[in-house]
mmCIF file of all heavy atoms in Angstrom:
data_model
loop_
_atom_site.group_PDB
_atom_site.id
_atom_site.type_symbol
_atom_site.label_atom_id
_atom_site.label_comp_id
_atom_site.label_asym_id
_atom_site.label_seq_id
_atom_site.Cartn_x
_atom_site.Cartn_y
_atom_site.Cartn_z
ATOM 1 N N SER A 19 74.955 116.955 66.730
ATOM 2 C CA SER A 19 76.194 116.367 66.216
ATOM 3 C C SER A 19 76.015 114.861 66.040
ATOM 4 O O SER A 19 75.103 114.258 66.585
ATOM 5 C CB SER A 19 77.347 116.648 67.169
ATOM 6 O OG SER A 19 77.071 116.060 68.412
ATOM 7 N N VAL A 20 76.926 114.288 65.275
ATOM 8 C CA VAL A 20 76.932 112.857 65.003
ATOM 9 C C VAL A 20 78.266 112.304 65.472
ATOM 10 O O VAL A 20 79.304 112.956 65.323
ATOM 11 C CB VAL A 20 76.747 112.599 63.489
ATOM 12 C CG1 VAL A 20 76.820 111.123 63.169
ATOM 13 C CG2 VAL A 20 75.430 113.201 63.005
ATOM 14 N N ALA A 21 78.274 111.115 66.038
ATOM 15 C CA ALA A 21 79.513 110.486 66.485
ATOM 16 C C ALA A 21 80.425 110.224 65.289
ATOM 17 O O ALA A 21 80.025 109.576 64.325
ATOM 18 C CB ALA A 21 79.217 109.185 67.216
ATOM 19 N N ASP A 22 81.632 110.761 65.331
ATOM 20 C CA ASP A 22 82.640 110.587 64.277
ATOM 21 C C ASP A 22 83.471 109.355 64.634
ATOM 22 O O ASP A 22 84.273 109.385 65.557
ATOM 23 C CB ASP A 22 83.512 111.835 64.212
ATOM 24 C CG ASP A 22 84.597 111.770 63.159
ATOM 25 O OD1 ASP A 22 84.811 110.692 62.559
ATOM 26 O OD2 ASP A 22 85.261 112.800 62.933
ATOM 27 N N MET A 23 83.276 108.270 63.907
ATOM 28 C CA MET A 23 83.901 106.991 64.237
ATOM 29 C C MET A 23 85.284 106.790 63.603
ATOM 30 O O MET A 23 85.874 105.724 63.739
ATOM 31 C CB MET A 23 82.978 105.837 63.837
ATOM 32 C CG MET A 23 81.597 105.889 64.491
ATOM 33 S SD MET A 23 81.618 105.940 66.292
ATOM 34 C CE MET A 23 82.133 104.276 66.658
ATOM 35 N N ARG A 24 85.807 107.822 62.924
ATOM 36 C CA ARG A 24 87.138 107.688 62.315
ATOM 37 C C ARG A 24 88.198 107.415 63.382
ATOM 38 O O ARG A 24 88.113 107.916 64.491
ATOM 39 C CB ARG A 24 87.527 108.958 61.556
ATOM 40 C CG ARG A 24 86.707 109.227 60.323
ATOM 41 C CD ARG A 24 87.120 110.515 59.643
ATOM 42 N NE ARG A 24 86.884 111.632 60.556
ATOM 43 C CZ ARG A 24 87.602 112.746 60.594
ATOM 44 N NH1 ARG A 24 88.616 112.916 59.773
ATOM 45 N NH2 ARG A 24 87.320 113.711 61.453
ATOM 46 N N ARG A 25 89.214 106.635 63.001
ATOM 47 C CA ARG A 25 90.321 106.319 63.918
ATOM 48 C C ARG A 25 91.572 107.144 63.615
ATOM 49 O O ARG A 25 92.595 106.971 64.266
ATOM 50 C CB ARG A 25 90.673 104.830 63.826
ATOM 51 C CG ARG A 25 89.562 103.902 64.273
ATOM 52 C CD ARG A 25 89.536 103.741 65.780
ATOM 53 N NE ARG A 25 88.446 102.910 66.226
ATOM 54 C CZ ARG A 25 88.544 101.633 66.532
ATOM 55 N NH1 ARG A 25 89.693 101.029 66.439
ATOM 56 N NH2 ARG A 25 87.491 100.976 66.935
ATOM 57 N N ASN A 26 91.496 108.016 62.609
ATOM 58 C CA ASN A 26 92.608 108.898 62.256
ATOM 59 C C ASN A 26 92.053 110.314 62.117
ATOM 60 O O ASN A 26 91.143 110.541 61.327
ATOM 61 C CB ASN A 26 93.244 108.484 60.922
ATOM 62 C CG ASN A 26 93.794 107.087 60.974
ATOM 63 O OD1 ASN A 26 94.764 106.834 61.674
ATOM 64 N ND2 ASN A 26 93.169 106.176 60.255
ATOM 65 N N LYS A 27 92.613 111.244 62.902
ATOM 66 C CA LYS A 27 92.145 112.630 62.877
ATOM 67 C C LYS A 27 93.338 113.571 63.038
ATOM 68 O O LYS A 27 94.387 113.170 63.543
ATOM 69 C CB LYS A 27 91.161 112.900 64.013
ATOM 70 C CG LYS A 27 89.887 112.096 63.965
ATOM 71 C CD LYS A 27 89.006 112.481 65.144
ATOM 72 C CE LYS A 27 87.742 111.660 65.217
ATOM 73 N NZ LYS A 27 86.920 112.054 66.385
ATOM 74 N N THR A 28 93.118 114.818 62.664
ATOM 75 C CA THR A 28 94.149 115.837 62.847
ATOM 76 C C THR A 28 93.629 116.884 63.822
ATOM 77 O O THR A 28 92.518 117.394 63.666
ATOM 78 C CB THR A 28 94.530 116.480 61.506
ATOM 79 O OG1 THR A 28 95.013 115.453 60.634
ATOM 80 C CG2 THR A 28 95.614 117.530 61.688
ATOM 81 N N PHE A 29 94.447 117.189 64.819
ATOM 82 C CA PHE A 29 94.152 118.187 65.827
ATOM 83 C C PHE A 29 95.264 119.225 65.771
ATOM 84 O O PHE A 29 96.408 118.918 66.104
ATOM 85 C CB PHE A 29 94.083 117.552 67.220
ATOM 86 C CG PHE A 29 93.080 116.428 67.292
ATOM 87 C CD1 PHE A 29 93.460 115.122 67.044
ATOM 88 C CD2 PHE A 29 91.752 116.688 67.581
ATOM 89 C CE1 PHE A 29 92.545 114.085 67.099
ATOM 90 C CE2 PHE A 29 90.828 115.665 67.635
ATOM 91 C CZ PHE A 29 91.215 114.356 67.392
ATOM 92 N N SER A 30 94.935 120.415 65.286
ATOM 93 C CA SER A 30 95.919 121.477 65.084
ATOM 94 C C SER A 30 96.995 120.952 64.132
ATOM 95 O O SER A 30 96.678 120.598 63.008
ATOM 96 C CB SER A 30 96.484 121.941 66.428
ATOM 97 O OG SER A 30 97.327 123.042 66.276
ATOM 98 N N ASP A 31 98.227 120.844 64.584
ATOM 99 C CA ASP A 31 99.297 120.353 63.703
ATOM 100 C C ASP A 31 99.734 118.931 64.054
ATOM 101 O O ASP A 31 100.835 118.503 63.729
ATOM 102 C CB ASP A 31 100.491 121.308 63.731
ATOM 103 C CG ASP A 31 101.107 121.460 65.113
ATOM 104 O OD1 ASP A 31 100.499 121.001 66.106
ATOM 105 O OD2 ASP A 31 102.203 122.033 65.204
ATOM 106 N N THR A 32 98.840 118.180 64.726
ATOM 107 C CA THR A 32 99.160 116.812 65.131
ATOM 108 C C THR A 32 98.155 115.839 64.533
ATOM 109 O O THR A 32 96.949 115.964 64.760
ATOM 110 C CB THR A 32 99.146 116.683 66.669
ATOM 111 O OG1 THR A 32 100.007 117.676 67.239
ATOM 112 C CG2 THR A 32 99.607 115.311 67.111
ATOM 113 N N GLN A 33 98.655 114.885 63.772
ATOM 114 C CA GLN A 33 97.813 113.811 63.247
ATOM 115 C C GLN A 33 97.840 112.687 64.278
ATOM 116 O O GLN A 33 98.903 112.261 64.727
ATOM 117 C CB GLN A 33 98.337 113.297 61.920
ATOM 118 C CG GLN A 33 97.498 112.186 61.341
ATOM 119 C CD GLN A 33 98.064 111.622 60.048
ATOM 120 O OE1 GLN A 33 99.019 112.137 59.494
ATOM 121 N NE2 GLN A 33 97.469 110.547 59.585
ATOM 122 N N VAL A 34 96.651 112.214 64.661
ATOM 123 C CA VAL A 34 96.556 111.199 65.712
ATOM 124 C C VAL A 34 95.790 109.996 65.170
ATOM 125 O O VAL A 34 94.715 110.138 64.594
ATOM 126 C CB VAL A 34 95.840 111.746 66.966
ATOM 127 C CG1 VAL A 34 95.808 110.690 68.064
ATOM 128 C CG2 VAL A 34 96.514 113.023 67.460
ATOM 129 N N SER A 35 96.371 108.820 65.368
ATOM 130 C CA SER A 35 95.707 107.563 65.021
ATOM 131 C C SER A 35 95.458 106.796 66.307
ATOM 132 O O SER A 35 96.337 106.687 67.164
ATOM 133 C CB SER A 35 96.573 106.717 64.083
ATOM 134 O OG SER A 35 96.764 107.388 62.863
ATOM 135 N N LEU A 36 94.248 106.271 66.440
ATOM 136 C CA LEU A 36 93.876 105.475 67.601
ATOM 137 C C LEU A 36 94.028 104.004 67.247
ATOM 138 O O LEU A 36 93.453 103.531 66.263
ATOM 139 C CB LEU A 36 92.426 105.777 67.997
ATOM 140 C CG LEU A 36 91.874 104.999 69.184
ATOM 141 C CD1 LEU A 36 92.604 105.363 70.478
ATOM 142 C CD2 LEU A 36 90.378 105.268 69.328
ATOM 143 N N LEU A 37 94.822 103.282 68.048
ATOM 144 C CA LEU A 37 95.120 101.875 67.782
ATOM 145 C C LEU A 37 94.817 101.040 69.025
ATOM 146 O O LEU A 37 94.912 101.530 70.155
ATOM 147 C CB LEU A 37 96.599 101.714 67.421
ATOM 148 C CG LEU A 37 97.138 102.629 66.321
ATOM 149 C CD1 LEU A 37 98.656 102.610 66.307
ATOM 150 C CD2 LEU A 37 96.571 102.222 64.986
ATOM 151 N N PHE A 38 94.475 99.776 68.800
ATOM 152 C CA PHE A 38 94.240 98.837 69.895
ATOM 153 C C PHE A 38 95.069 97.582 69.652
ATOM 154 O O PHE A 38 95.355 97.241 68.504
ATOM 155 C CB PHE A 38 92.753 98.461 69.989
ATOM 156 C CG PHE A 38 91.875 99.628 70.319
ATOM 157 C CD1 PHE A 38 91.260 100.361 69.310
ATOM 158 C CD2 PHE A 38 91.673 100.011 71.637
ATOM 159 C CE1 PHE A 38 90.451 101.447 69.609
ATOM 160 C CE2 PHE A 38 90.871 101.097 71.935
ATOM 161 C CZ PHE A 38 90.264 101.816 70.927
ATOM 162 N N ASN A 39 95.428 96.855 70.713
ATOM 163 C CA ASN A 39 96.225 95.643 70.541
ATOM 164 C C ASN A 39 95.367 94.420 70.236
ATOM 165 O O ASN A 39 95.883 93.318 70.105
ATOM 166 C CB ASN A 39 97.100 95.386 71.780
ATOM 167 C CG ASN A 39 96.292 95.052 73.021
ATOM 168 O OD1 ASN A 39 95.154 95.479 73.181
ATOM 169 N ND2 ASN A 39 96.892 94.292 73.923
ATOM 170 N N LYS A 40 94.049 94.612 70.110
ATOM 171 C CA LYS A 40 93.135 93.526 69.743
ATOM 172 C C LYS A 40 92.222 94.017 68.636
ATOM 173 O O LYS A 40 91.908 95.206 68.569
ATOM 174 C CB LYS A 40 92.290 93.100 70.952
ATOM 175 C CG LYS A 40 93.113 92.556 72.104
ATOM 176 C CD LYS A 40 92.225 92.218 73.290
ATOM 177 C CE LYS A 40 93.066 91.706 74.456
ATOM 178 N NZ LYS A 40 92.250 91.412 75.625
ATOM 179 N N SER A 41 91.776 93.103 67.798
ATOM 180 C CA SER A 41 90.908 93.506 66.685
ATOM 181 C C SER A 41 89.504 93.862 67.146
ATOM 182 O O SER A 41 88.820 94.648 66.505
ATOM 183 C CB SER A 41 90.859 92.413 65.615
ATOM 184 O OG SER A 41 90.362 91.214 66.180
ATOM 185 N N GLU A 42 89.044 93.301 68.255
ATOM 186 C CA GLU A 42 87.737 93.619 68.814
ATOM 187 C C GLU A 42 87.906 94.103 70.241
ATOM 188 O O GLU A 42 88.707 93.561 71.004
ATOM 189 C CB GLU A 42 86.826 92.388 68.809
ATOM 190 C CG GLU A 42 86.410 91.932 67.433
ATOM 191 C CD GLU A 42 85.444 90.751 67.495
ATOM 192 O OE1 GLU A 42 85.313 90.124 68.570
ATOM 193 O OE2 GLU A 42 84.821 90.475 66.467
ATOM 194 N N ILE A 43 87.128 95.117 70.595
ATOM 195 C CA ILE A 43 87.143 95.630 71.956
ATOM 196 C C ILE A 43 85.977 94.978 72.678
ATOM 197 O O ILE A 43 84.824 95.147 72.286
ATOM 198 C CB ILE A 43 86.994 97.164 71.971
ATOM 199 C CG1 ILE A 43 88.046 97.815 71.062
ATOM 200 C CG2 ILE A 43 87.103 97.690 73.392
ATOM 201 C CD1 ILE A 43 87.788 99.280 70.797
ATOM 202 N N LYS A 44 86.292 94.208 73.721
ATOM 203 C CA LYS A 44 85.250 93.484 74.448
ATOM 204 C C LYS A 44 85.180 93.954 75.896
ATOM 205 O O LYS A 44 86.212 94.156 76.541
ATOM 206 C CB LYS A 44 85.523 91.982 74.405
ATOM 207 C CG LYS A 44 85.396 91.402 73.005
ATOM 208 C CD LYS A 44 85.547 89.907 73.017
ATOM 209 C CE LYS A 44 85.379 89.350 71.603
ATOM 210 N NZ LYS A 44 85.518 87.901 71.574
ATOM 211 N N ALA A 45 83.959 94.104 76.371
ATOM 212 C CA ALA A 45 83.737 94.517 77.749
ATOM 213 C C ALA A 45 84.357 93.507 78.707
ATOM 214 O O ALA A 45 84.325 92.303 78.466
ATOM 215 C CB ALA A 45 82.237 94.641 78.011
ATOM 216 N N GLY A 46 84.958 94.024 79.769
ATOM 217 C CA GLY A 46 85.519 93.171 80.808
ATOM 218 C C GLY A 46 86.901 92.635 80.517
ATOM 219 O O GLY A 46 87.481 91.964 81.367
ATOM 220 N N GLU A 47 87.457 92.916 79.332
ATOM 221 C CA GLU A 47 88.792 92.424 78.979
ATOM 222 C C GLU A 47 89.795 93.569 78.949
ATOM 223 O O GLU A 47 89.507 94.639 78.400
ATOM 224 C CB GLU A 47 88.778 91.751 77.600
ATOM 225 C CG GLU A 47 87.993 90.466 77.558
ATOM 226 C CD GLU A 47 88.075 89.780 76.198
ATOM 227 O OE1 GLU A 47 88.807 90.251 75.301
ATOM 228 O OE2 GLU A 47 87.384 88.751 76.042
ATOM 229 N N GLU A 48 90.969 93.337 79.524
ATOM 230 C CA GLU A 48 92.025 94.341 79.486
ATOM 231 C C GLU A 48 92.449 94.579 78.043
ATOM 232 O O GLU A 48 92.565 93.635 77.257
ATOM 233 C CB GLU A 48 93.217 93.869 80.323
ATOM 234 C CG GLU A 48 94.286 94.921 80.481
ATOM 235 C CD GLU A 48 95.375 94.486 81.434
ATOM 236 O OE1 GLU A 48 95.239 94.736 82.644
ATOM 237 O OE2 GLU A 48 96.355 93.886 80.949
ATOM 238 N N ILE A 49 92.672 95.853 77.709
ATOM 239 C CA ILE A 49 93.069 96.205 76.348
ATOM 240 C C ILE A 49 94.071 97.356 76.393
ATOM 241 O O ILE A 49 94.013 98.202 77.291
ATOM 242 C CB ILE A 49 91.833 96.574 75.486
ATOM 243 C CG1 ILE A 49 92.226 96.677 74.017
ATOM 244 C CG2 ILE A 49 91.173 97.844 75.987
ATOM 245 C CD1 ILE A 49 91.058 96.587 73.064
ATOM 246 N N GLU A 50 94.994 97.330 75.451
ATOM 247 C CA GLU A 50 95.936 98.440 75.316
ATOM 248 C C GLU A 50 95.373 99.418 74.290
ATOM 249 O O GLU A 50 95.001 99.038 73.184
ATOM 250 C CB GLU A 50 97.307 97.953 74.848
ATOM 251 C CG GLU A 50 98.303 99.087 74.691
ATOM 252 C CD GLU A 50 99.659 98.634 74.170
ATOM 253 O OE1 GLU A 50 99.825 97.435 73.860
ATOM 254 O OE2 GLU A 50 100.549 99.489 74.057
ATOM 255 N N VAL A 51 95.301 100.680 74.697
ATOM 256 C CA VAL A 51 94.851 101.773 73.841
ATOM 257 C C VAL A 51 96.091 102.588 73.504
ATOM 258 O O VAL A 51 96.797 103.033 74.407
ATOM 259 C CB VAL A 51 93.825 102.665 74.580
ATOM 260 C CG1 VAL A 51 93.360 103.801 73.682
ATOM 261 C CG2 VAL A 51 92.654 101.842 75.093
ATOM 262 N N GLN A 52 96.374 102.767 72.222
ATOM 263 C CA GLN A 52 97.583 103.495 71.833
ATOM 264 C C GLN A 52 97.235 104.651 70.897
ATOM 265 O O GLN A 52 96.424 104.502 69.980
ATOM 266 C CB GLN A 52 98.575 102.566 71.136
ATOM 267 C CG GLN A 52 99.908 103.246 70.861
ATOM 268 C CD GLN A 52 100.902 102.284 70.252
ATOM 269 O OE1 GLN A 52 100.831 101.998 69.065
ATOM 270 N NE2 GLN A 52 101.809 101.779 71.076
ATOM 271 N N PHE A 53 97.845 105.787 71.165
ATOM 272 C CA PHE A 53 97.720 106.962 70.318
ATOM 273 C C PHE A 53 99.043 107.134 69.574
ATOM 274 O O PHE A 53 100.092 107.245 70.198
ATOM 275 C CB PHE A 53 97.429 108.207 71.150
ATOM 276 C CG PHE A 53 96.074 108.190 71.798
ATOM 277 C CD1 PHE A 53 95.873 107.535 73.009
ATOM 278 C CD2 PHE A 53 94.997 108.824 71.203
ATOM 279 C CE1 PHE A 53 94.625 107.519 73.610
ATOM 280 C CE2 PHE A 53 93.743 108.813 71.789
ATOM 281 C CZ PHE A 53 93.556 108.156 73.002
ATOM 282 N N ASP A 54 98.974 107.101 68.247
ATOM 283 C CA ASP A 54 100.142 107.326 67.388
ATOM 284 C C ASP A 54 100.090 108.793 66.984
ATOM 285 O O ASP A 54 99.173 109.216 66.272
ATOM 286 C CB ASP A 54 100.075 106.408 66.172
ATOM 287 C CG ASP A 54 101.278 106.545 65.251
ATOM 288 O OD1 ASP A 54 102.186 107.341 65.543
ATOM 289 O OD2 ASP A 54 101.294 105.856 64.220
ATOM 290 N N LEU A 55 101.067 109.582 67.447
ATOM 291 C CA LEU A 55 101.082 111.027 67.227
ATOM 292 C C LEU A 55 102.142 111.379 66.180
ATOM 293 O O LEU A 55 103.319 111.045 66.357
ATOM 294 C CB LEU A 55 101.380 111.741 68.539
ATOM 295 C CG LEU A 55 100.380 111.419 69.642
ATOM 296 C CD1 LEU A 55 101.057 111.233 70.975
ATOM 297 C CD2 LEU A 55 99.348 112.503 69.720
ATOM 298 N N ARG A 56 101.697 112.059 65.123
ATOM 299 C CA ARG A 56 102.603 112.444 64.042
ATOM 300 C C ARG A 56 102.406 113.914 63.697
ATOM 301 O O ARG A 56 101.343 114.474 63.905
ATOM 302 C CB ARG A 56 102.355 111.587 62.811
ATOM 303 C CG ARG A 56 102.657 110.118 63.086
ATOM 304 C CD ARG A 56 102.500 109.245 61.865
ATOM 305 N NE ARG A 56 102.889 107.882 62.203
ATOM 306 C CZ ARG A 56 104.126 107.400 62.061
ATOM 307 N NH1 ARG A 56 105.069 108.155 61.567
ATOM 308 N NH2 ARG A 56 104.403 106.160 62.408
#
């Protein structure tokens, strides 16, 4: 398999978008991870 880097996917009947409160994810820094479920 290959890592699927998309941030928007559909699981069954739920579309999920992965969002972050920062444009870059940096090690050692607190970050908010948000799942938008539609």
Side-chain angles (χ1 to χ4, degrees):
S19 61
V20 177
D22 180 351
M23 302 304 288
R24 292 178 298 149
R25 296 278 177 99
N26 300 292
K27 297 181 183 179
T28 301
F29 304 91
S30 186
D31 61 349
T32 306
Q33 180 183 353
V34 182
S35 297
L36 179 65
L37 309 166
F38 296 94
N39 66 331
K40 298 177 181 178
S41 60
E42 292 183 346
I43 307 168
K44 293 185 179 180
E47 292 184 4
E48 187 174 271
I49 191 161
E50 180 182 3
V51 180
Q52 187 176 78
F53 292 84
D54 182 1
L55 302 139
R56 297 183 176 269

